[in-house]
Amino acid sequence: RKGVRKQFAMLRAVLLLAAAGVASAFAPAALPVNAGSRAAIARGPRMQQMSEAIPFLEKPKKLDSSMPGYAGFDPLGFSDYYDVKWLQEAEIKHGRICMLAVVGMFHPEIAKLPQFASFSTNPLEAFYQLSFPGWLQILVFIGICESFSFEKVYYTDKAPGDLGFDPLRLGSNPASRKYYANAEVKNGRLAMIGFSGMLHHALLTKMGPFQQIAEQKFYPTGFAGGF
């Protein structure tokens, strides 16, 4: 009887070992400690890149530091919905227009062309003194520029703002071209803000910018208290 019990005990031990072996075949292989931690890090969530201009917003996905004037600034997400090259072209174009507009805001107070001698030094009054043929010339010129710009943006690989106009050859080498492209965008942005400020004050004071400074009248005309 003792021999039978011993045989049953041995058989039970063999069955248990066999069952453990079968179960271990289906268990996942254990990774080394270092390898497991590296894999966990690799599979973990990646940290979002934040905008340099607005640190609490995510960095615009379609903008990068190779673009002239890059600052990571696109809080309204225009670059997610519109063609980036078209947006760059529009910004450069508006910057150029406003740089010319800033000069036009104060130049009549310094000197006038003979045909405009009777025009007001207040830019807003001068706006309405221009005749219809003059406005027609301006509109035709804008249309011609827009036609070239449209073709360049959508049918060529030229850089935004590149109209082939560089009489002083400032962009004769890649380094200077990059510098002046960046400077143009930044000065254009400043001009857009500056022109807006000049226009706002002209609406309030009915004066040109130099006259406002000389007479120190920075408040709306018609206010009580002598303004």
Side-chain angles (χ1 to χ4, degrees), residues 80-163:
D80 293 330
Y81 301 101
Y82 297 97
D83 181 73
V84 174
K85 187 177 180 182
W86 181 83
L87 291 173
Q88 288 180 281
E89 186 78 23
E91 181 182 35
I92 293 171
K93 188 181 301 179
H94 283 83
R96 290 170 177 172
I97 291 171
C98 284
M99 284 189 277
L100 292 172
V102 165
V103 177
M105 290 291 284
F106 66 76
H107 188 270
E109 297 183 75
I110 301 172
K112 298 179 184 178
L113 296 174
Q115 62 269 38
F116 304 120
S118 62
F119 278 37
S120 172
T121 56
N122 178 359
L124 297 179
E125 290 181 4
F127 178 89
Y128 294 101
Q129 290 174 333
L130 186 63
S131 63
F132 175 76
W135 279 115
L136 187 61
Q137 292 177 33
I138 293 173
L139 293 174
V140 170
F141 178 75
I142 292 173
I144 293 171
C145 291
E146 284 295 312
S147 65
F148 283 113
S149 176
F150 181 86
E151 182 179 358
K152 183 181 73 65
V153 170
Y154 293 103
Y155 298 102
T156 69
D157 295 327
K158 288 187 176 181
D162 184 7
L163 296 176

Side-chain angles (χ1 to χ4, degrees), residues 194-205:
F195 171 73
S196 300
M198 291 181 181
L199 182 64
H200 177 72
H201 275 271
L203 285 167
L204 295 179
T205 64

